[in-house]
Amino acid sequence: ERNPEYTRPKLRGRGDAKQAAAAVLTLPDGSVAAGVNEVNRRLEEILGLSRAQFGQLAMIAQGEFRHLLLARTEERSAIFSRIFDTSMYGTLQLRLREQAGAAER
């Protein structure tokens, strides 16, 4: 559940009051994360994507992948690496590079 920051009429007196943003995440095991920062952190942990990366993926799903195509190489690489969980291949590549360097020496 998320509530963005918004302005509402004051409960007493005249004028407006700013209502702070709030967020609560209830997980299937019944545990609860509260607060915008904590919910954001837990969602990034669960999804494996940052908010920006999720937004770019949503654009792909909507057929607006031009933005992703125009993103910097590092950004695209990070997004696809997280989506397809290619970290083990990166680790393998690093080990092979180290072994090749040792064999050359």
Side-chain angles (χ1 to χ4, degrees):
E1 179 180 321
R2 282 190 184 267
N3 295 315
E5 181 179 293
Y6 63 95
T7 303
R8 61 169 174 75
K10 286 186 175 181
L11 297 176
R12 296 183 188 156
R14 293 185 172 181
D16 293 327
K18 189 181 284 188
Q19 184 70 41
V24 177
L25 175 66
T26 305
L27 298 167
D29 66 1
S31 62
V32 176
V36 174
N37 291 336
E38 178 63 14
V39 168
N40 288 346
R41 186 188 68 74
R42 293 292 294 275
L43 286 174
E44 186 170 331
E45 190 178 280
I46 292 166
L47 296 174
L49 299 169
S50 69
R51 183 179 99 39
Q53 291 169 333
F54 182 82
Q56 287 178 321
L57 281 178
M59 283 187 248
I60 292 171
Q62 295 171 5
E64 297 180 29
F65 59 93
R66 181 171 177 253
H67 294 282
L68 179 66
L69 295 175
L70 296 176
R72 293 181 326 186
T73 302
E74 301 83 30
E75 290 177 76
R76 280 195 310 269
S77 179
I79 292 167
F80 288 128
S81 176
R82 291 181 98 174
I83 292 169
F84 299 114
D85 192 20
T86 60
S87 60
M88 66 180 175
Y89 300 111
T91 302
L92 175 63
Q93 183 180 18
L94 181 62
R95 285 185 185 166
L96 290 173
R97 189 176 295 139
E98 288 171 355
Q99 289 177 357
E104 279 186 32
R105 283 179 283 205

